[in-house]
Amino acid sequence: MSDGMTLVQHEDGTFGAYDDTYDIAIHCKSKEEQERAIKHLKSTCWIPVSDMPNCCGYPVLLTVENKFGQRGVCKAFTNYMKEGKQLFYTNEKEFCSELTSIKLSESWKPIAWMPLPE
């Protein structure tokens, strides 16, 4: 990414050239542009369900996984925790426990969530 060489100290105390092969840089022309870029990056991050606050009625996008490792994304609503487990409800019938239910099926394990995009 640059013409110069950057040295880094390794955990064993030795020094070596820094490898920037897989680095990504975002150049912004102003503080406002930088803040918009940071806001956008944060808005596209999936958050582990284990880091979700206990809240009710909050609309989210939810990543779910079944026992075969297949994943899906659905719009869901949070419900209060029950027995230490965050509960979710969705109107997307393929992820529901029954066709007449809105409770997320036990077959689909919630993995990560993010706020609904604007």
Side-chain angles (χ1 to χ4, degrees):
M1 293 186 94
S2 65
D3 294 336
M5 181 190 295
T6 302
L7 293 176
V8 293
Q9 186 173 12
H10 303 291
E11 290 181 14
D12 64 2
T14 62
F15 287 86
Y18 176 74
D19 181 8
D20 64 359
T21 304
Y22 301 106
D23 285 2
I24 297 173
I26 299 174
H27 177 75
C28 299
K29 295 180 181 176
S30 67
K31 176 115 176 107
E32 292 79 21
E33 192 176 302
Q34 178 191 41
E35 289 170 356
R36 280 196 316 270
I38 291 169
K39 182 178 178 184
H40 175 72
L41 290 171
K42 285 183 178 180
S43 73
T44 59
C45 294
W46 289 93
I47 304 162
V49 169
S50 59
D51 294 345
M52 179 168 229
N54 188 13
C55 56
C56 185
Y58 187 70
V60 296
L61 282 181
L62 188 64
T63 299
V64 292
E65 183 178 71
N66 67 17
K67 64 181 178 182
F68 303 108
Q70 298 167 320
R71 292 188 177 185
V73 175
C74 63
K75 180 180 174 184
F77 293 89
T78 60
N79 197 358
Y80 290 111
M81 288 187 167
K82 183 176 183 180
E83 298 171 3
K85 186 173 153 186
Q86 181 75 49
L87 298 177
F88 296 93
Y89 290 89
T90 181
N91 289 327
E92 297 184 31
K93 294 301 178 193
E94 64 203 83
F95 299 109
C96 290
S97 55
E98 301 169 11
L99 286 177
T100 57
S101 173
I102 60 170
K103 184 179 178 204
L104 186 67
S105 169
E106 297 284 328
S107 302
W108 292 99
K109 178 185 171 192
I111 296 174
W113 69 280
M114 69 183 298
L116 285 178
E118 293 178 12

